[in-house]
Amino acid sequence: RTELAIKEIMSSGGAEDDIPQAERKTVTDFCYLLDKSKQLFNGLRDLPQYGQKQWQSYFGRTFDVYTKLWKFQQQHRQVLDNRYGLKRWQIGEIASKIGQLYYHYYLRTSETSYLNEAFSFYSAIRQRSYYSQVNKEDRPELVVKKLRYYARFIVVCLLLNKMDVVKDLVKELSDEIEDYTHRFNTEDQVEWNLVLQEVAAFIEADPVMVLNDDNTIVITSNRLSETGAPLLEQGMIVGQLALADALIIGNCNNQVKFSELTIDMFRMLQALEREPMNLASQMNKPGMQESTEKPARRENPHKYLLYKPTFSQLYTFLAASFKELPANSVLLIYMSATGVFPSGRSDSEGPYDFGGVLTNSNRDIINGDAIHKRNQSYKEMHCLHPGDLYPFTRKPLFIIVDSSNSVAYKNFTNLFGQPLVCLLSPTAYPKALQDQSQRGSLFTLFLNNPLMAFLFVSGLSSMRRGLWEKCQDYLRKINRDIAQLLTHSRSIDQSFLQFFGDEFLRLLLTRFIFCSATMRMHKIFRETRNYPESYPQLPRDETVENPHLQKHILELASILDVRNVFLENTLDDY
């Protein structure tokens, strides 16, 4: 097939015999590399999505061929232009595929620096206008390639918090879609307009804007930075476990999403990543000198992102993570999902009697929460029950449930004596806050960006950069104090301390306590179901209702001039 194509290409450029042997070989080699690259790229979708080892050698081969192809077309551009008729959009296609490879490598490894690589290839396509001539050709499928490139570029920019670029891309994509639908009168117009609506809603999901003096929006990153997690101080006795793997599951009806990421999934994945390394800027950073003495920087935990998984998909990924979990490591399961409640009355109180969270049933769920009811004595089938997780408690397990039925997981039993913690969201919020649920859960926002969540519950929607940074400094102090409260507690369950040695888990635990303490002090959060809970329970007087911590929260409220939102003497109210 390739030989025929080459003959056709070359004869269209003039008499075949006139073409020098070297140039003929250049075209043949290019066609071979192009074919090989497409073949390998298409094979990527046949690789298993779970398991961390099988895919690496295949990815490596694919990268090698694309690297050769990219360099080859750069070195022989003149010949390929003349003899092959290489078009700029074809170069754009190669660059786009390399961008996709880097993005998928990031998804497989959770290493954020690959996102920067994807960004640089996608940026080059735009800067060099590789796709600019596509609109002149009467081929709708080429325009669709261009639109898909935009959608992929937007995902990468969202993950890198490059919101200014996202806004420019959305405007360009909008113009492209308008031109495309006007010229070709296609049926997929509705789908492309939906893409635009989704990304617009995604950008506006944050409830609070941080503003520079010139009123431009400050982009805040919520990945783990050098100063992010409170440091372990001398005398703090904590476990040596490290977070190695995480399942991030999103199955909320009606929540803002883009691509296959709900806003909750997006926020949680950033809470489990370090800032991407940029070696050039790291070298000149003030205050970085002492960090060279620290041990080598750990990698990000590996993640699986599961959007609306069925029970069997979820269990398959869970089993793969469990199987590959290294020694002295933790598996984290984060679920942001619609609650499933037991349909019938049960005399027993076992791990399958309280419902759980929704798994996808492969058929439409009627009216969101209404699950197909069968015989009342049976348990809910499309649901992850607490009992479903029992086999996996043979290894250290850290569970976060953000759901209207999160409390089902309070009825857990630690069967195997391994470290086990469940952090559970409130099951309902005060009416004044409920209309925000489409833009992401308040509980997850507290775990991802506690200051933004604090401002939101305090009724603030914008803030100047200077004050934001002052409050962030104060919040770091609060986190340090929470770390001390936890490690000095005499009655806390040991599981919390065994997880406290890991930076990511330490930050999640301190933010959870800050969230819980804030809600308990807030004037409109007055019902028990408005508060987060945990398994095992935390000693309240030493953590979430500690007077020292309450004083700090009032102090933070004073800096923001919102002290009137909180109760002054909370201890008297219990």
Side-chain angles (χ1 to χ4, degrees):
R1 190 171 55 89
T2 308
E3 281 172 25
L4 267 174
I6 294 167
K7 276 188 173 170
E8 217 169 279
I9 289 160
M10 297 178 90
S11 57
S12 67
E16 202 184 326
D17 298 339
D18 299 346
I19 298 169
Q21 192 63 37
E23 292 187 8
R24 189 193 301 269
K25 185 175 176 350
T26 297
V27 173
T28 311
D29 289 353
F30 177 75
C31 288
Y32 169 76
L33 283 172
L34 192 62
D35 260 13
K36 186 75 181 157
S37 68
K38 284 178 182 171
Q39 197 182 328
L40 285 167
F41 193 89
N42 292 336
L44 288 173
R45 59 179 75 115
D46 300 327
L47 291 177
Q49 291 172 294
Y50 48 85
Q52 291 179 47
K53 300 293 172 277
Q54 307 96 312
W55 58 272
Q56 276 172 320
S57 61
Y58 192 94
F59 251 88
R61 289 210 311 280
T62 312
F63 258 116
D64 286 348
V65 171
Y66 269 97
T67 307
K68 282 178 191 162
L69 181 63
W70 185 251
K71 285 180 180 165
F72 194 88
Q73 62 81 24
Q74 284 177 319
Q75 288 160 357
H76 304 283
R77 182 75 55 83
Q78 195 68 52
V79 175
L80 293 171
D81 279 352
N82 296 338
R83 300 298 185 193
Y84 177 81
L86 185 67
K87 293 188 166 64
R88 287 188 70 71
W89 66 260
Q90 289 172 304
I91 303 168
E93 268 298 278
I94 298 168
S96 180
K97 288 278 199 297
I98 296 172
Q100 284 177 65
L101 274 177
Y102 276 119
Y103 172 65
H104 283 287
Y105 213 72
Y106 155 74
L107 288 180
R108 294 264 184 180
T109 62
S110 300
E111 182 45 69
T112 33
S113 54
Y114 292 122
L115 281 175
N116 286 331
E117 297 295 336
F119 177 81
S120 62
F121 271 90
Y122 284 149
S123 290
I125 294 171
R126 185 163 165 248
Q127 283 159 2
R128 297 172 194 175
S129 308
Y130 282 139
Y131 280 123
S132 61
Q133 300 301 305
V134 160
N135 296 16
K136 292 181 181 169
E137 307 216 12
D138 197 25
R139 291 171 61 189
E141 74 278 11
L142 286 186
V143 183
V144 169
K145 282 180 191 286
K146 184 179 187 176
L147 300 183
R148 285 186 180 149
Y149 149 72
Y150 269 107
R152 291 185 183 114
F153 194 5
I154 287 169
V155 171
V156 168
C157 291
L158 285 172
L159 287 165
L160 286 170
N161 292 309
K162 293 183 186 288
M163 292 304 170
D164 297 350
V165 185
V166 171
K167 285 171 185 168
D168 292 343
L169 292 174
V170 168
K171 192 179 178 315
E172 288 170 30
L173 177 59
S174 176
D175 294 343
E176 293 288 349
I177 291 169
E178 201 172 314
D179 179 64
Y180 167 64
T181 51
H182 180 70
R183 281 173 60 213
F184 297 108
N185 193 20
T186 58
E187 290 173 13
D188 54 357
Q189 179 177 1
V190 176
E191 289 167 40
W192 281 109
N193 284 330
L194 186 62
V195 168
L196 282 176
Q197 286 164 23
E198 283 184 350
V199 72
F202 212 90
I203 297 167
E204 288 161 17
D206 281 355
V208 179
M209 283 189 297
V210 186
L211 301 170
N212 284 311
D213 293 339
D214 61 356
N215 281 348
T216 53
I217 295 173
V218 178
I219 307 304
T220 57
S221 171
N222 301 302
R223 287 189 170 92
L224 183 63
S225 61
E226 294 287 335
T227 55
L231 294 171
L232 291 173
E233 294 170 21
Q234 259 184 327
M236 286 185 176
I237 297 166
V238 296
Q240 299 301 306
L241 296 171
L243 177 60
D245 223 330
L247 264 76
I248 296 179
I249 298 154
N251 198 3
C252 276
N253 297 310
N254 309 321
Q255 195 178 85
V256 167
K257 66 168 266 292
F258 185 61
S259 187
E260 291 211 327
L261 273 182
T262 64
I263 193 75
D264 278 355
M265 291 170 73
F266 176 73
R267 285 174 177 156
M268 185 47 65
L269 81 88
Q270 300 219 351
L272 299 179
E273 289 180 349
R274 297 169 197 280
E275 280 296 344
M277 276 291 260
N278 186 339
L279 295 174
S281 66
Q282 288 287 348
M283 302 316 287
N284 313 322
K285 237 188 192 178
M288 284 295 289
Q289 286 71 23
E290 81 275 29
S291 69
T292 50
E293 294 152 32
K294 290 181 193 165
R297 188 173 154 279
R298 277 208 310 110
E299 294 175 352
N300 292 327
H302 171 262
K303 296 184 298 297
Y304 288 121
L305 306 174
L306 302 180
Y307 174 68
K308 296 204 167 178
T310 60
F311 176 81
S312 50
Q313 283 170 328
L314 199 160
Y315 230 55
T316 304
F317 280 86
L318 196 46
S321 283
F322 180 82
K323 175 173 174 275
E324 295 193 346
L325 198 69
N328 301 318
S329 296
V330 182
L331 172 59
L332 181 145
I333 303 169
Y334 166 82
M335 295 178 277
S336 154
T338 303
V340 177
F341 298 89
S343 48
R345 301 291 305 150
S346 173
D347 298 334
S348 61
E349 291 202 340
Y352 287 88
D353 294 320
F354 297 95
V357 300
L358 185 66
T359 55
N360 205 351
S361 63
N362 278 344
R363 59 170 176 245
D364 288 337
I365 289 152
I366 303 156
N367 302 332
D369 284 18
I371 305 302
H372 296 277
K373 295 281 185 279
R374 298 180 318 289
N375 183 323
Q376 295 241 321
S377 64
Y378 293 136
K379 304 304 174 197
E380 297 65 31
M381 196 187 296
H382 302 295
C383 168
L384 191 78
H385 297 264
D388 293 325
L389 296 178
Y390 277 20
F392 304 103
T393 60
R394 287 175 169 82
K395 292 183 182 179
L397 198 59
F398 193 98
I399 300 166
I400 302 171
V401 187
D402 196 336
S403 173
S404 54
N405 191 24
S406 59
V407 289
Y409 293 82
K410 205 170 64 168
N411 307 285
F412 231 90
T413 310
N414 189 340
L415 297 175
F416 303 105
Q418 290 290 317
L420 172 67
V421 161
C422 303
L423 304 183
L424 312 170
S425 71
T427 53
Y429 292 102
K431 291 239 176 332
L433 296 166
Q434 260 170 356
D435 59 340
Q436 291 293 326
S437 61
Q438 225 181 334
R439 291 162 72 175
S441 155
L442 178 60
F443 179 66
T444 294
L445 186 61
F446 261 104
L447 297 181
N448 159 266
N449 190 339
L451 181 54
M452 185 172 282
F454 188 86
L455 296 175
F456 171 63
V457 297
S458 304
L460 300 170
S461 59
S462 67
M463 159 159 299
R464 293 280 155 206
R465 182 179 198 147
L467 185 55
W468 170 270
E469 285 169 358
K470 181 181 176 184
C471 292
Q472 284 287 29
D473 281 343
Y474 194 75
L475 196 53
R476 275 190 277 275
K477 175 179 165 31
I478 294 178
N479 272 344
R480 283 196 299 273
D481 286 359
I482 292 173
Q484 283 193 332
L485 290 176
L486 262 175
T487 52
H488 293 173
S489 164
R490 292 173 183 278
S491 54
I492 194 165
D493 188 283
Q494 286 302 298
S495 281
F496 290 101
L497 298 178
Q498 283 170 297
F499 289 130
F500 212 65
D502 180 90
E503 282 178 288
F504 292 104
L505 301 180
R506 184 156 73 246
L507 200 53
L508 288 171
L509 285 167
T510 52
R511 286 173 175 176
F512 173 80
I513 290 169
F514 173 72
C515 167
S516 197
T518 298
M519 288 175 176
R520 286 167 184 277
M521 290 182 71
H522 201 289
K523 283 179 180 172
I524 67 166
F525 286 75
R526 294 319 318 135
E527 297 178 54
T528 315
R529 62 196 191 126
N530 296 160
Y531 306 139
E533 300 206 41
S534 68
Y535 169 87
Q537 282 195 326
L538 284 161
R540 279 195 206 169
D541 54 332
E542 292 180 302
T543 56
V544 296
E545 288 174 8
N546 178 279
H548 181 63
L549 175 54
Q550 291 177 334
K551 197 164 136 273
H552 277 332
I553 287 171
L554 288 175
E555 189 55 42
L556 181 60
S558 297
I559 296 171
L560 293 162
D561 202 17
V562 290
R563 196 159 173 151
N564 60 318
V565 173
F566 296 94
L567 300 164
E568 294 282 340
N569 300 318
T570 24
L571 289 180
D572 301 347
D573 295 335
Y574 284 92

